[in-house]
Amino acid sequence: MSAEAADREAATSSRPCTPPQTCWFEFLLEESLLEKHLRKPCPDPAPVQLIVQFLEQASKPSVNEQNQVQPPPDNKRNRILKLLALKVAAHLKWDLDILEKSLSVPVLNMLLNELLCISKVPPGTKHVDMDLATLPPTTAMAILLYNRWAIRTIVQSSFPVKQAKPGPPQLSVMNQMQQEKELTENILKVLKEQASDSILVLEAALKLNKDLYVHTMRTLDLLAMEPGMVNGETESSAAGLKIKTEEMQCQVCYDLGAAYFQQGSTNSSVYENAREKFFRTKELIAEIGSLSLHCTIDEKRLAGYCQACDILVPSSDSTSQRLTPYSQVHICLRSGNYQELIKIFIEDNLTFSLPVQFRQSVLRQLFQKAQQRNEALDEVCFKVCACNTVRDILEDKTISVQFNQLFLRPNKEKIDFLLEVCSRSVKLEKASDALKGKMAAFLKNVCLGLEDLQYVFMISSHELFIALLKDEERKLLVDQMRKRSPRINLCIKPLTSFYDIPASASVNIGQLEHQLILSVDAWRIRQILIELHGMTSERQFWTVSNKWEVPTVYSGVILGIKDNLTRDLVYILMAKGLHCSTVKDFFHAKQLFAACLELVTEFSPKLRQVMLNEMLLLDIHKHEAGTGQSGERPPSDLISRVRGYLEMRLPDIPLRQVIAEECVAFMLNWKENEYLTLQVPAFLLQSNPYVKLGQLLAATIKELPGPKESRRSAKDLWEVVVQICSVSSQHKRGNDGRVSLIKQRESTLGIMYRNELLSFIKKLREPLVLTIILSLFVKLHNVREDIVNDITAEHISIWPSSIPNLQSVDFEAVAITVKELVQYALSINPNNHSWLTIQADIYFATNQYSAALHYYLQAGAVCSDFFNKAVPPDVYTDQVIKRMIKCCSLLNCHTQVAILCQFLREIDYKTAFKSLQEQNSHDAMDSYYDYIWDVTILEYLTYLHHKRGETDKRQIAIKAIGQTELNTSNPEEVLQLAAQRRKKKFLQAMAKLYF
């Protein structure tokens, strides 16, 4: 250590740690002892006093030579004072409870605005227009803090305030208090005007599913030392104090609930929103637990809010969620809500939360009320007794005497309820074999105790009974019943043929119809229909459920079947199969279709072909939803069946267009272009529009490598799509003889409607096919005369550049289609740079410049390993770079404009110099100078700062010029390497800003 260094260290160590009270902030400022001061057990002055003093000093107006009052200067001292205030708030972990308690509204408003500024929130930009999900975590958290404080301040201002006792009147103090009061009122007025926007911002925050970060003293130090770090560590996903998603949502829910509750005084319907937020807050507190460091909620106040909401917005659902089962039962008994009581008992058969003794005491209480000539309770007593009996069965206890007494005279309603309780008390997929055995034994004993055969069949045909008893047990039960009554002939097991199943005993129609709706087993459906038709011949049982839907082209044929039983069976099997296919239950759909195919093969070749077609569509869906998603090619027999369907020429076969649509999309997705181009029969091209469209797409792809003159298919495809997107006009002649346009409607001259084309395209997944279609619609979009900003796309040059009749094209519909197609394509592959560029161009054309930059940068990132490699020149063309320049310019990021001017093949010095002259820049300005490699621009910066008297910035520019790798005498390879390294760092910094 040198002598000078030793003297400096000795002098520093001998200085007092506690500065004089009169200049403490100067001392902290000069000596950078803030952190040391804050670490004291009882720092004096306290942290919140530091914030007030720092901000007061930074906001002191200045007086010029003419004694005129000027706004506070934006100098280094004031910037550091503001930074120190932010660091103190960061030390307090941005706890709004502490800050609001100790700071006035104007001071806290100034502090949070400084936080927004340092977090790179553009001034003047509405927070509600910003997408929190795409912002850096610290920026999003700063916006949330400000908007939380805004609505908390509005809520707090609505509370009555106890006036402090005035002291001796002092004119200066009174003036200061009056000024602060007026300033507070002005701020409150602005906050109330923006209240709806703040609520929307916080509601949007509840949809975030990522952790956020808030600035700490360390990240603020990094910003102070090197402003350029705002593009790096301080805005990355791991910088700052981590706020977990649950903690953030808990705070936001509580604040929103308080805001809604305050608004409820003028709009009572808002209390429902408040109740929802407060109860969600309670759920989140239970999830987070008491160990949360960053989520402090006054739980007593929260409980008061919840209680008030329950009174203002009564809700039995919310009450039942919060009360214990005991309390719920007592409330039901007091209020006479016996239906809810029975529901609680049934649910308790699964959870076993209520002791058996308690349940029995409830039943005794009901018996006592029923004996007081309250006959309406007789049914309730039976239902509660049935619930208790099932609970006894599940716990392997004996059946009570009360149940046997109440079941002496069974009826349909009692048996229905008993079966419902049994079904809801046992989860078959999770229940143990022992538990299933207990329930099966109980149901068998009930059957043996019944005299009426109708009631026996109600139990024996129930799904739970069939699932619990094995075939041998059911056969033994039937033998026992036969000994008692030889007239009984129950069907034990479906026979091997559909037509050989005998009808079962007479049964209630409603019960069988209920089973018919629920069943997805073809044999069971057949058995139920036989029973129903044996009971009545007047009903059409295919109309039992309005959810059974069969396509119109099929229903005419099916409903023409003369035999009623066969008609109902075919209709129901097909409807259930189609529904299973829709919900991707391919196993049951296959079984239902196979049973239907077996049935119709015997009497209707037409319906047989219909079922074969539907089974083909089912197999396509099954492959696409299964192994097809991983890229595995379909089996050859499936491809052959698809070809067979497309070539089918059977007359009078009802066909669904969706099957042809899916088949053509299937062939395009699996690159069967050779077949579509050369082997499709000519008659198909004329009769099936989807085959025609697929053939043109396949032929266009095939002709891509050839010269433009030979691309006849592209021209044909262009004409087909233009015709689809055209509109026809209707005209009307008025009384004066003039002809006027009265309506435009979609043209019927195209091979299909635009919505049908869009539906077909959204079944395609092959990237090249989607790229061809996208480029066609982009070209069609660009053809219109009033277009200002063209959209670029790959292969766009293969399409014609004009349309004979521009007025006939619905360009508004074309623009909507382009947006939908790009969104769909990016859902298939979000890393396709060509599609990302199209999305960016769309945002650019619609003046959404921040979003456009996001997608331009993403397009470059995906093809350069996040800019670690050079972005290919066909991705970042001069047109793309110029659009990025314009975006930055309109966002007032002028230093970024100058840097991007270097990316052009010929550097645009005029634009670069003009942008650098702008003093109102929203980017990091001089911190970007390290990304400039063109010496001419750096020299101009040096001259500009010298002219303005900006010594610090001039030194930064001189330092950048002085780097040896930028010496113009260096070999070209060295200069290129230096430029490439700066491009990489700049683009990565930009990506972190806009991603």
Side-chain angles (χ1 to χ4, degrees):
M1 182 185 293
S2 66
E4 291 180 6
D7 291 342
R8 263 198 317 271
E9 183 177 349
T12 303
S13 62
S14 64
R15 288 173 185 165
C17 291
T18 305
Q21 192 68 21
T22 56
C23 60
W24 56 265
F25 66 89
E26 295 284 356
F27 183 80
L28 293 176
L29 175 61
E30 293 177 5
E31 303 296 331
S32 301
L33 295 176
L34 178 63
E35 293 187 42
K36 188 174 181 180
H37 176 76
L38 293 174
R39 283 198 297 268
K40 293 180 181 179
C42 297
D44 184 23
V48 287
Q49 293 174 339
L50 288 176
I51 295 175
V52 175
Q53 295 294 339
F54 284 142
L55 292 179
E56 281 184 355
Q57 291 295 325
S59 59
K60 272 187 178 180
S62 60
V63 180
N64 61 12
E65 296 176 355
Q66 289 80 26
N67 288 329
Q68 295 175 333
V69 178
Q70 301 289 329
D74 185 18
N75 54 28
K76 181 177 179 181
R77 178 179 178 278
N78 283 349
R79 285 196 297 272
I80 292 178
L81 282 168
K82 292 175 183 177
L83 182 65
L84 290 173
L86 291 171
K87 290 176 69 175
V88 176
H91 170 74
L92 297 173
K93 297 181 180 177
W94 302 99
D95 190 328
L96 287 180
D97 289 332
I98 297 175
L99 296 175
E100 288 171 340
K101 185 177 180 181
S102 307
L103 300 180
S104 65
V105 170
V107 172
L108 193 46
N109 180 56
M110 190 188 308
L111 178 70
L112 292 176
N113 274 297
E114 288 301 326
L115 175 64
L116 292 174
C117 182
I118 206 166
S119 300
K120 302 303 174 186
V121 178
T125 305
K126 284 190 173 183
H127 296 171
V128 73
D129 295 333
M130 304 179 76
D131 185 1
L132 296 178
T134 60
L135 294 175
T138 50
T139 306
M141 194 62 199
I143 291 173
L144 288 188
L145 275 171
Y146 179 84
N147 287 282
R148 281 184 58 217
W149 168 74
I151 64 170
R152 286 162 67 108
T153 304
I154 294 169
V155 171
Q156 192 65 33
S157 69
S158 67
F159 297 155
V161 179
K162 183 179 180 181
Q163 297 292 334
K165 292 182 179 180
Q170 296 181 14
L171 186 60
S172 60
V173 175
M174 291 177 66
N175 287 339
Q176 185 179 354
M177 290 174 63
Q178 183 62 28
Q179 289 176 3
E180 184 173 324
K181 181 180 178 182
E182 291 176 357
L183 186 56
T184 301
E185 288 175 353
N186 290 335
I187 292 172
L188 274 172
K189 182 180 178 182
V190 174
L191 294 179
K192 288 176 180 177
E193 290 173 355
Q194 300 173 350
S196 57
D197 286 352
S198 293
I199 288 175
L200 288 175
V201 170
L202 296 181
E203 287 285 7
L206 295 179
K207 300 175 183 176
L208 294 177
N209 56 359
K210 64 177 183 179
D211 297 336
L212 297 181
Y213 293 81
V214 68
H215 280 301
T216 60
M217 298 180 74
R218 178 176 174 273
T219 59
L220 292 168
D221 275 335
L222 290 173
L223 287 170
M225 289 189 296
E226 189 178 349
M229 288 298 291
V230 73
N231 297 324
E233 183 180 358
T234 56
E235 292 199 3
S236 72
S237 60
L241 182 65
K242 182 177 179 181
I243 308 296
K244 292 184 178 179
T245 308
E246 295 80 7
E247 294 175 326
M248 178 272 291
Q249 289 183 349
C250 187
Q251 293 170 324
V252 170
C253 276
Y254 180 74
D255 294 337
L256 277 173
Y260 286 137
F261 192 88
Q262 186 251 344
Q263 292 176 357
S265 58
T266 56
N267 182 5
S268 58
S269 62
V270 183
Y271 282 128
E272 180 66 33
N273 294 340
R275 186 180 62 79
E276 178 189 341
K277 299 303 178 196
F278 286 135
F279 287 123
R280 178 59 182 153
T281 305
K282 292 189 72 173
E283 291 174 5
L284 288 168
I285 289 175
E287 290 179 21
I288 297 169
S290 58
L291 300 178
S292 173
L293 299 176
H294 315 303
C295 179
T296 54
I297 303 292
D298 186 345
E299 295 193 39
K300 290 184 179 179
R301 193 176 187 86
L302 174 61
Y305 271 128
C306 292
Q307 188 175 1
C309 287
D310 271 342
I311 296 171
L312 294 166
V313 189
S315 172
S316 58
D317 292 340
S318 65
T319 303
S320 63
Q321 288 174 6
R322 298 190 316 279
L323 298 175
T324 64
Y326 294 98
S327 302
Q328 293 175 34
V329 170
H330 285 304
I331 290 171
C332 291
L333 289 172
R334 284 199 304 269
S335 62
N337 187 358
Y338 298 119
Q339 290 299 324
E340 184 65 23
L341 173 68
I342 293 164
K343 179 182 175 184
I344 293 169
F345 272 36
I346 293 175
E347 291 173 354
D348 184 63
N349 284 349
L350 289 170
T351 60
F352 288 17
S353 56
L354 294 173
V356 174
Q357 295 79 2
F358 176 75
R359 294 170 61 124
Q360 290 172 348
S361 69
V362 171
L363 180 58
R364 283 195 297 270
Q365 187 176 343
L366 291 171
F367 271 132
Q368 289 172 2
K369 289 184 178 181
Q371 289 169 1
Q372 297 169 1
R373 297 185 179 180
N374 190 348
E375 297 178 359
L377 285 179
D378 289 342
E379 182 183 353
V380 176
C381 288
F382 168 76
K383 289 184 176 181
V384 173
C385 184
C387 294
N388 286 351
T389 299
V390 173
R391 170 70 176 271
D392 291 338
I393 295 301
L394 297 176
E395 292 192 334
D396 205 14
K397 295 180 179 178
T398 57
I399 299 175
S400 65
V401 176
Q402 290 98 330
F403 177 76
N404 290 324
Q405 290 175 340
L406 293 171
F407 210 61
L408 283 174
R409 294 180 181 178
N411 55 33
K412 177 186 176 301
E413 288 73 21
K414 287 184 177 181
I415 292 177
D416 275 341
F417 180 76
L418 182 62
L419 290 171
E420 180 189 353
V421 175
C422 292
S423 299
R424 292 173 59 183
S425 301
V426 177
K427 298 292 184 184
L428 290 177
E429 62 276 9
K430 298 179 181 178
S432 63
D433 291 340
L435 198 63
K436 292 178 184 178
K438 294 172 189 176
M439 186 60 72
F442 170 66
L443 291 176
K444 281 196 297 184
N445 289 331
V446 172
C447 284
L448 292 171
L450 292 171
E451 297 290 339
D452 194 324
L453 301 181
Q454 177 182 346
Y455 300 149
V456 174
F457 186 78
M458 282 179 65
I459 297 175
S460 65
S461 62
H462 194 273
E463 290 185 5
L464 178 65
F465 189 85
I466 295 171
L468 288 175
L469 269 74
K470 298 178 182 178
D471 290 344
E472 296 79 10
E473 293 175 309
R474 294 177 64 204
K475 186 175 181 181
L476 180 61
L477 177 63
V478 171
D479 289 341
Q480 290 175 325
M481 299 299 290
R482 279 176 180 164
K483 292 176 183 177
R484 287 177 41 193
S485 176
R487 294 175 294 137
I488 299 176
N489 183 22
L490 293 175
C491 177
I492 305 303
K493 184 178 179 182
L495 303 179
T496 55
S497 171
F498 269 116
Y499 291 105
D500 293 336
I501 301 176
S504 301
S506 175
V507 73
N508 178 274
I509 293 178
Q511 177 75 13
L512 286 175
E513 287 179 346
H514 180 68
Q515 294 178 35
L516 185 64
I517 291 172
L518 296 179
S519 180
V520 289
D521 180 77
W523 299 98
R524 179 67 182 147
I525 291 169
R526 171 67 180 175
Q527 181 185 12
I528 294 170
L529 282 173
I530 290 174
E531 292 294 335
L532 288 170
H533 278 275
M535 294 163 61
T536 176
S537 59
E538 299 176 358
R539 292 285 304 278
Q540 295 180 334
F541 293 104
W542 61 271
T543 62
V544 165
S545 173
N546 59 3
K547 301 293 184 183
W548 292 341
E549 296 179 357
V550 168
T552 309
V553 291
Y554 298 160
S555 59
V557 181
I558 295 173
L559 297 180
I561 298 173
K562 294 181 180 179
D563 181 67
N564 292 341
L565 173 61
T566 307
R567 178 199 60 211
D568 287 346
L569 186 56
V570 172
Y571 189 98
I572 293 171
L573 289 175
M574 178 175 283
K576 285 179 174 284
L578 290 171
H579 172 73
C580 289
S581 178
T582 303
V583 299
K584 297 187 178 180
D585 183 2
F586 300 121
F587 175 76
H588 284 114
K590 188 84 171 178
Q591 285 186 333
L592 290 162
F593 282 163
C596 193
L597 176 64
E598 179 188 346
L599 182 61
V600 300
T601 298
E602 300 181 11
F603 65 89
S604 176
K606 188 183 294 186
L607 284 175
R608 177 182 179 277
Q609 188 59 51
V610 165
M611 293 313 305
L612 289 174
N613 295 344
E614 289 298 328
M615 292 181 78
L616 169 63
L617 181 60
L618 177 68
D619 288 340
I620 290 174
H621 285 162
K622 184 178 178 181
H623 180 267
E624 296 295 284
T627 55
Q629 288 188 335
S630 60
E632 183 179 332
R633 280 190 63 80
S636 56
D637 69 309
L638 182 56
I639 296 175
S640 300
R641 288 166 61 199
V642 171
R643 290 183 178 184
Y645 174 83
L646 293 174
E647 297 170 8
M648 182 176 60
R649 298 190 66 175
L650 295 176
D652 301 328
I653 299 295
L655 300 174
R656 282 209 294 160
Q657 281 283 42
V658 68
I659 302 180
E661 187 181 348
E662 290 281 1
C663 285
V664 174
F666 178 84
M667 299 297 275
L668 287 170
N669 285 334
W670 297 106
K671 301 180 182 179
E672 293 291 325
N673 297 333
E674 195 72 23
Y675 170 79
L676 290 172
T677 307
L678 302 175
Q679 300 176 30
V680 172
F683 76 91
L684 268 180
L685 301 177
Q686 304 300 324
S687 61
N688 194 319
Y690 295 105
V691 175
K692 174 72 174 175
L693 193 61
Q695 189 263 343
L696 289 174
L697 278 168
T700 302
I701 292 171
K702 187 177 180 182
E703 293 172 0
L704 272 181
K708 187 174 182 180
E709 297 75 22
S710 65
R711 296 172 185 159
R712 175 64 192 173
S713 299
K715 186 174 183 298
D716 292 342
L717 180 58
W718 169 266
E719 291 173 354
V720 165
V721 173
V722 168
Q723 194 68 57
I724 292 172
C725 295
S726 296
V727 290
S728 59
S729 303
Q730 292 184 354
H731 297 80
K732 182 179 180 182
R733 187 177 299 276
N735 295 331
D736 57 356
R738 295 182 181 178
V739 176
S740 58
L741 178 67
I742 62 170
K743 186 183 287 185
Q744 282 193 333
R745 60 176 58 185
E746 205 166 341
S747 173
T748 56
L749 299 177
I751 62 174
M752 63 181 71
Y753 289 111
R754 187 180 64 87
N755 63 332
E756 293 174 335
L757 173 61
L758 193 59
S759 171
F760 170 71
I761 295 171
K762 288 185 178 181
K763 291 180 170 61
L764 300 173
R765 293 182 292 100
E766 171 56 29
L768 183 55
V769 179
L770 286 173
T771 300
I772 292 294
I773 294 172
L774 263 175
S775 67
L776 189 156
F777 274 97
V778 166
K779 183 67 175 182
L780 187 56
H781 172 273
N782 292 343
V783 163
R784 61 190 298 182
E785 294 173 344
D786 59 343
I787 197 75
V788 177
N789 295 307
D790 282 354
I791 301 174
T792 56
E794 201 173 352
H795 304 305
I796 200 169
S797 60
I798 69 174
W799 310 111
S801 55
S802 62
I803 298 175
N805 187 7
L806 276 175
Q807 292 76 18
S808 66
V809 178
D810 186 353
F811 285 108
E812 202 172 307
V814 170
I816 294 171
T817 304
V818 171
K819 291 178 182 178
E820 286 192 43
L821 290 181
V822 175
Q823 290 175 0
Y824 169 71
L826 288 175
S827 71
I828 298 297
N829 181 8
N831 294 325
N832 186 302
H833 67 81
S834 173
W835 301 344
L836 289 166
T837 304
I838 295 173
Q839 181 69 82
D841 284 346
I842 291 172
Y843 280 126
F844 181 81
T846 54
N847 302 329
Q848 300 180 68
Y849 302 113
S850 180
L853 270 176
H854 171 89
Y855 281 98
Y856 283 134
L857 289 165
Q858 195 172 342
V862 298
C863 59
S864 63
D865 190 19
F866 196 67
F867 304 113
N868 285 306
K869 302 174 185 175
V871 180
D874 60 329
V875 177
Y876 275 1
T877 61
D878 270 6
Q879 181 180 352
V880 170
I881 297 298
K882 286 177 180 177
R883 291 188 172 186
M884 293 173 72
I885 288 171
K886 186 174 180 181
C887 290
C888 291
S889 177
L890 291 168
L891 292 170
N892 285 335
C893 297
H894 301 296
T895 316
Q896 295 173 5
V897 170
I899 296 171
L900 284 170
C901 286
Q902 302 173 110
F903 283 63
L904 297 168
R905 286 180 175 81
E906 293 185 9
I907 299 176
D908 187 353
Y909 290 111
K910 181 179 178 181
T911 304
F913 293 166
K914 185 177 178 181
S915 67
L916 291 173
Q917 290 170 8
E918 297 284 345
Q919 290 186 304
N920 183 24
S921 184
H922 292 168
D923 57 22
M925 299 181 67
D926 50 321
S927 66
Y928 281 120
Y929 292 175
D930 283 341
Y931 303 137
I932 302 175
W933 64 86
D934 185 80
V935 176
T936 305
I937 295 177
L938 287 170
E939 288 174 345
Y940 179 77
L941 273 171
T942 307
Y943 158 75
L944 197 63
H945 291 315
H946 175 71
K947 183 179 177 182
R948 294 175 181 169
E950 297 169 340
T951 308
D952 293 344
K953 293 182 179 180
R954 180 172 176 270
Q955 288 300 322
I956 295 172
I958 291 173
K959 182 182 176 183
I961 295 177
Q963 296 177 81
T964 54
E965 57 187 348
L966 296 183
N967 192 322
T968 52
S969 302
N970 286 337
E972 185 64 25
E973 295 81 7
V974 175
L975 294 175
Q976 289 292 334
L977 189 61
Q980 189 57 45
R981 190 163 64 87
R982 284 162 175 76
K983 281 184 182 179
K984 165 191 165 183
K985 288 185 176 180
F986 173 70
L987 290 172
Q988 287 176 341
M990 287 278 284
K992 290 176 182 177
L993 273 177
Y994 289 98
F995 281 5

